[in-house]
Amino acid sequence: MDLKQPALPISFPLTSLDQLRDDSVFQSFHFPFQQCSVPLALQGGKKERKSKLLVCHDMKGGYQDDRFVQGDGNYNAYSLWHWQCIDVFVYFSHSLITIPPPCWINAGHRHGVQVLGTFITEWDQGAQTCKLLLESKDSARMYASRLAKVAREFGFDGWLLNIENTVPVEQIDTLVVFVSELTKVMHDLVPGSLVIWYDAVTVDGELQWQDMLTEKNKRFFDACDGIFINYTWKVDYAAKSAKVAGDRASDVYMGVDVFGRNTFGGGGFQSNVALKVALEAGVSAALFGPGWVYEKNIGPTFEDAQIRFWASIHNAWPVSHRYPVTLPFFSDFSQGFGKAVYVDGDQVSDSPWSNISCQALQPLLLGALDPEFEVTVRSVDRVYSGGSSLRFLGKLKASDVRITKLYDPHLVLANPTLSIDFSV
């Protein structure tokens, strides 16, 4: 495929250092469509909590329906709408350089969530790539600068670095230069950005997951903004990592594999077990593969499973954000997909669609607290705007009152008078 020729706009990864070095991605016909269109929302509404929740998206290798920049017709495509729990979102695939599709950057930014891409080298091919990357300190700096430029031009907020192959011990110093240079240039080009190291290769060049912060991986941690700990840790490893990190304990992200592959706590709907341990130790946490509910077809529907999963996460992890933080504020609750398209109560299209770039600011609905009264956002038979509406289910007596918090704003009102209009 000739990426310079007009075609249906898509997102795609870079698969070689050559593509990174020659800047060819910026000459692609698709490049203007791939750029984020929503700036990162103000962070003034952050909760007073140091521990952070990182979510690492690993959905069937990445670049599924979300690769279509202008959306597609798969109403059942994977989506995420519980942004209020998330501090950092990583778009992950096993390609060398994973550039997040703009729909994820736009939706994350709208909710004040930083979105990172992934740089990954693996196994024998990864070792050959690292040999070129780390040929000299100058080459390491050059590639770091190119990665930072990609993040700035596409509009995302940093990188997860996943070096998952052995590295000759004589190149470790150069690898540290690469990590520190990328962190420095990212901070210069995108203030507040993040570079996070994955716990795999050690300072001895061995592929040896530590499962906590140790002297074997701390040198990389010291060179960047945080470390994503491999997910096969034990119950006391979070506290031990906090002790090694000192005043940077919240920059340690204890990995939790939602698919449950030898992960602490078991993953799945028990992922909150590991989150509670991390939070109590004063470190952060990283959920890997929350698309488990979708890939495993948990049911009874994807929406039901998604709501159940994130309700369990919220049970262990406090809400990260308060929003809205600016005025004017509007939300039609649309989740970025629907069975049809509505405008002001009128159906303007009967075609199913999915494009989470169109996702509105989502309400704080984290599961039904009252078994007889449920409030959810759903794609229902009648929608006012977008593809979904706020749905209230339950039986109320005349004397009943139900209070449901939809948003937790962080606003300063110049005029103390608040007017509310409603109809029943």
Side-chain angles (χ1 to χ4, degrees):
M1 181 171 114
D2 186 350
L3 294 176
K4 291 186 178 181
Q5 294 300 312
L8 184 69
I10 59 170
S11 293
F12 53 88
L14 304 184
T15 57
S16 72
L17 289 178
D18 288 343
Q19 291 176 301
L20 181 62
R21 184 178 59 249
D22 64 17
D23 282 348
S24 60
V25 67
F26 303 121
Q27 281 76 56
S28 164
F29 167 81
H30 304 264
F31 170 59
F33 299 93
Q34 290 177 278
Q35 292 177 290
C36 159
S37 59
V38 178
L40 183 62
L42 295 175
Q43 299 294 297
K46 290 279 291 182
K47 292 287 190 181
E48 291 299 322
R49 173 175 52 75
K50 289 185 177 181
S51 296
K52 301 175 286 287
L53 182 62
L54 179 151
V55 169
C56 193
H57 168 91
D58 178 33
M59 167 55 65
K60 297 183 178 180
Y63 301 102
Q64 301 294 312
D65 292 273
D66 53 8
R67 73 184 184 277
F68 298 109
V69 174
Q70 296 171 320
D72 75 346
N74 182 11
Y75 155 73
N76 290 310
Y78 178 73
S79 183
L80 180 68
W81 55 90
H82 292 81
W83 295 101
Q84 65 271 16
C85 295
I86 303 169
D87 295 282
V88 182
F89 178 86
V90 177
Y91 193 80
F92 182 90
S93 80
H94 288 277
S95 296
L96 177 64
I97 299 166
T98 303
I99 300 172
C103 60
W104 288 106
I105 310 174
N106 290 336
H109 280 187
R110 189 170 288 124
H111 292 85
V113 175
Q114 292 178 289
V115 179
L116 311 187
T118 304
F119 180 85
I120 183 172
T121 63
E122 298 177 284
W123 314 119
D124 292 341
Q125 183 179 354
Q128 290 302 311
T129 299
C130 282
K131 185 177 179 180
L132 293 173
L133 174 75
L134 306 175
E135 191 172 33
S136 68
K137 289 183 171 61
D138 285 341
S139 71
R141 293 188 182 98
M142 181 270 290
Y143 285 119
S145 179
R146 290 289 197 277
L147 279 175
K149 180 181 178 182
V150 168
R152 181 191 64 185
E153 294 301 317
F154 281 85
F156 57 97
D157 309 296
W159 295 97
L160 171 67
L161 299 180
N162 187 353
I163 307 300
E164 210 154 357
N165 49 259
T166 59
V167 175
V169 68
E170 60 269 19
Q171 287 190 319
I172 291 297
D173 286 349
T174 308
L175 179 55
V176 173
V177 168
F178 171 72
V179 176
S180 60
E181 182 72 8
L182 177 59
T183 305
K184 176 184 178 300
V185 181
M186 276 303 315
H187 291 178
D188 289 342
L189 295 183
V190 184
S193 58
L194 296 173
V195 174
I196 295 177
W197 176 263
Y198 180 68
D199 160 38
V201 70
T202 70
V203 291
D204 301 317
E206 299 173 344
L207 184 58
Q208 193 177 74
W209 299 267
Q210 299 298 294
D211 297 337
M212 60 179 166
L213 185 63
T214 72
E215 292 306 315
K216 293 278 190 178
N217 54 28
K218 187 174 183 293
R219 191 176 176 195
F220 303 111
F221 171 72
D222 291 340
C224 64
D225 299 303
I227 185 170
F228 185 141
I229 298 295
N230 187 50
Y231 44 78
T232 56
W233 46 278
K234 307 300 182 186
V235 67
D236 57 338
Y237 286 13
K240 288 180 177 179
S241 296
K243 186 175 181 179
V244 174
D247 59 4
R248 289 190 62 200
S250 63
D251 295 332
V252 177
Y253 298 80
M254 304 303 293
V256 183
D257 182 9
V258 181
F259 281 80
R261 292 163 289 202
N262 298 316
T263 196
F264 178 79
F269 292 117
Q270 299 301 311
S271 297
N272 56 358
V273 173
L275 297 190
K276 289 177 181 178
V277 172
L279 192 63
E280 288 171 1
V283 296
S284 295
L287 278 178
F288 186 85
W292 167 79
V293 296
Y294 184 91
E295 290 193 53
K296 293 299 184 181
N297 195 25
I298 300 299
T301 69
F302 164 57
E303 288 180 273
D304 290 317
Q306 181 87 313
I307 290 168
R308 179 186 170 193
F309 176 77
W310 283 100
S312 71
I313 298 304
H314 178 250
N315 180 51
W317 203 268
V319 167
S320 296
H321 302 284
R322 296 182 62 189
Y323 55 71
V325 296
T326 58
L327 292 175
F329 161 62
F330 167 83
S331 178
D332 59 12
F333 310 111
S334 181
Q335 294 170 323
F337 57 86
K339 299 175 182 176
V341 179
Y342 295 83
V343 176
D344 295 339
D346 295 324
Q347 183 176 319
V348 298
S349 170
D350 60 0
S351 298
W353 63 282
S354 174
N355 187 351
I356 60 172
S357 277
C358 302
Q359 193 176 85
L361 205 62
Q362 293 299 296
L364 302 172
L365 302 176
L366 296 155
L369 300 179
D370 184 338
E372 295 182 358
F373 189 71
E374 177 191 34
V375 184
T376 57
V377 176
R378 293 280 182 152
S379 293
V380 292
D381 292 335
R382 193 68 184 168
V383 173
Y384 182 76
S385 177
S388 48
S389 286
L390 193 65
R391 183 177 73 165
F392 295 82
L393 286 178
K395 294 181 179 181
L396 294 179
K397 300 176 182 177
S399 59
D400 278 353
V401 174
R402 295 288 191 275
I403 297 176
T404 298
K405 179 183 285 189
L406 297 183
Y407 292 94
D408 188 9
H410 185 77
L411 296 167
V412 177
L413 301 180
N415 184 345
T417 301
L418 182 65
S419 175
I420 299 175
D421 296 323
F422 65 94
S423 63
V424 176

